[in-house]
Amino acid sequence: MSNVELKLSRSNRIYRPSEPLDGTIVIKSSSSISHYGVYLNVNGSVSLQIRGGSAGVIESFYGVLKPITIVKKRIEVRASGKIGSGTTEIPFSVKLRQHGEDNSERYYETFHGANVSTQYLVTVDIMRGYLHKSLSVTVEFILETDKGIFFNFIFFPFEMDVIEQIELSSFYPYVSADLPEQPIAPEMVIFYITQDTQRHPLLPELKTGGFRVTGRMSTHCSLLDPISGVLTIEASAVPISSIDIHLLRVESVLLGEKIVTETSLIQTTQIADGDVCRNMTLPIHVILPRLMTCPTVFAGPFSVEFKVTITIGFQSEVCKLYTKFDPTTPRLWLAMETLPLELVRTK
């Protein structure tokens, strides 16, 4: 009985392109085994897919698109021979980026999304020929960028829907720069929510009685820091049932001459449950999930953006008829405000 285990040097498995990926291959065997080489494979790629509900009939036939290769290395750690019985440890060290190679902007951060997924894997293969089953093990490691990417944003003069297709005429221009040494001061945006700011139908009592919610929130912040802010219920004729902060991802995939865009929910943070005292300041503190967020990316074949939606739920008999519903979909008993969120990587 033989098995192989792969141990990386860091328990959190977080590395940067300029740092070596090192660790130890641990082989445990009850008897000596012959092999034709021990190989280490490092693969990184961006997987793109278009789900049926995200595009039209023609686009849905494409399904999974060709992945974008970021890094692909195969290294012989030990030449063919024999491995003795017991426990054998083989150290390894791999450079993801060669010395003098200045292409760190292509090393996108690890991200697990709905349509866009960036993943880095290290695999150990022990080749044993046709008569014996080869030994193999794969471990995912997390990559964080060495440089920040700053973009010249393209603004569209119309309201963005949740799922839409936009004609693509050119790629997003960008420049890269070293990560800032000091923490980035979050940019606070002042917002207010009333019956007049809502673009969807509301309950009659909300329209006649009215409500007003004010606050401020950070919309440009580091991935290492939480989304912070405050919120105040100044007035409301209808009792409040809940106040929630929804973190959304906006993934766009290039398909031919079009971009297919879809917005999906990452997580929901409740900041108030039940009716809230008027004119009381409520703190906003949202922790960003590691693998489901990354720096805002505008690449040629894809882009990843983020938004924050503030929802105010009001007590109503109508909402009891809907036991399950999308919290980001406009409803009669919900007041909503969506803010763009730019995430950056800092040291």
Side-chain angles (χ1 to χ4, degrees):
M1 184 66 180
S2 304
N3 63 77
V4 59
E5 183 181 357
L6 182 59
K7 294 183 178 180
L8 297 179
S9 60
R10 300 177 183 178
S11 58
N12 58 9
R13 298 178 289 127
I14 298 178
Y15 296 86
R16 295 180 183 269
S18 60
E19 299 172 341
L21 176 68
D22 45 18
T24 305
I25 303 170
V26 181
I27 305 170
K28 296 180 180 180
S29 178
S30 57
S31 60
S32 62
I33 59 174
S34 301
H35 63 90
Y36 292 94
V38 179
Y39 293 90
L40 188 75
N41 302 281
V42 179
N43 295 287
S45 62
V46 181
S47 301
L48 306 175
Q49 67 175 0
I50 298 176
R51 296 182 293 178
S54 306
V57 177
I58 297 178
E59 289 82 355
S60 62
F61 284 108
Y62 286 84
V64 178
L65 303 179
K66 183 179 179 180
I68 302 172
T69 301
I70 301 175
V71 59
K72 187 174 183 180
K73 295 178 180 291
R74 182 176 176 85
I75 301 172
E76 185 182 50
V77 180
R78 177 171 290 190
S80 59
K82 280 190 175 183
I83 297 177
S85 60
T87 302
T88 303
E89 296 186 354
I90 305 174
F92 67 87
S93 181
V94 181
K95 292 184 178 179
L96 298 177
R97 187 179 63 198
Q98 298 299 325
H99 181 70
E101 184 181 5
D102 188 18
N103 59 348
S104 60
E105 60 268 9
R106 72 170 183 154
Y107 285 90
Y108 306 109
E109 285 206 8
T110 299
F111 173 71
H112 293 176
N115 295 337
V116 179
S117 180
T118 305
Q119 193 174 34
Y120 296 87
L121 302 174
V122 54
T123 303
V124 173
D125 293 321
I126 302 178
M127 315 305 296
R128 301 189 62 193
Y130 297 103
L131 299 179
H132 300 278
K133 184 179 179 180
S134 298
L135 301 177
S136 180
V137 62
T138 300
V139 173
E140 180 183 8
F141 64 95
I142 301 171
L143 197 75
E144 293 183 354
T145 55
D146 287 311
K147 294 187 176 182
I149 309 299
F150 302 92
F151 308 92
N152 298 323
F153 292 96
I154 299 177
F155 295 96
F156 296 95
F158 49 82
E159 182 66 21
M160 301 286 286
D161 295 328
V162 173
I163 297 175
E164 62 182 3
Q165 297 181 8
I166 307 172
E167 295 292 340
L168 179 69
S169 58
S170 61
F171 295 145
Y172 296 99
Y174 63 86
V175 294
S176 61
D178 292 333
L179 294 178
E181 294 284 352
Q182 301 297 328
I184 290 182
E187 294 182 1
M188 306 299 291
V189 172
I190 298 175
F191 64 88
Y192 65 95
I193 309 173
T194 67
Q195 66 274 15
D196 297 327
T197 62
Q198 304 304 298
R199 300 187 180 183
H200 64 278
L202 297 173
L203 294 171
E205 53 267 32
L206 288 175
K207 283 190 174 182
T208 57
F211 60 91
R212 181 177 176 84
V213 180
T214 60
R216 63 180 184 272
M217 180 183 293
S218 56
T219 58
H220 178 87
C221 56
S222 169
L223 286 163
L224 303 177
D225 300 326
I227 302 173
S228 58
V230 293
L231 181 145
T232 303
I233 306 294
E234 295 186 357
S236 178
V238 179
I240 294 172
S241 61
S242 178
I243 303 177
D244 302 281
I245 307 295
H246 305 289
L247 178 61
L248 309 174
R249 58 182 165 232
V250 184
E251 299 168 292
S252 301
V253 177
L254 176 63
L255 183 63
E257 295 181 354
K258 295 180 179 179
I259 293 182
V260 180
T261 302
E262 181 178 358
T263 300
S264 56
L265 178 67
I266 298 178
Q267 71 174 23
T268 298
T269 304
Q270 187 182 51
I271 64 173
D273 184 19
D275 200 14
V276 179
C277 296
R278 306 303 183 255
N279 295 317
M280 185 178 71
T281 301
L282 300 176
I284 297 175
H285 189 88
V286 178
I287 302 297
L288 297 173
R290 173 59 192 93
L291 295 180
M292 291 182 286
T293 56
C294 67
T296 302
V297 177
F298 287 89
F302 70 95
S303 67
V304 179
E305 304 170 77
F306 299 93
K307 292 182 180 180
V308 174
T309 297
I310 308 163
T311 60
I312 313 295
F314 297 92
Q315 299 180 16
S316 172
E317 294 296 327
V318 180
C319 67
K320 297 179 181 179
L321 302 176
Y322 298 85
T323 56
K324 294 182 179 180
F325 63 93
D326 185 357
T328 61
T329 301
R331 300 289 180 176
L332 294 174
W333 62 90
L334 288 179
M336 311 172 67
E337 180 68 24
T338 300
L339 303 174
L341 177 66
E342 183 182 357
L343 300 178
V344 297
R345 171 66 60 190
T346 57
K347 289 184 179 180

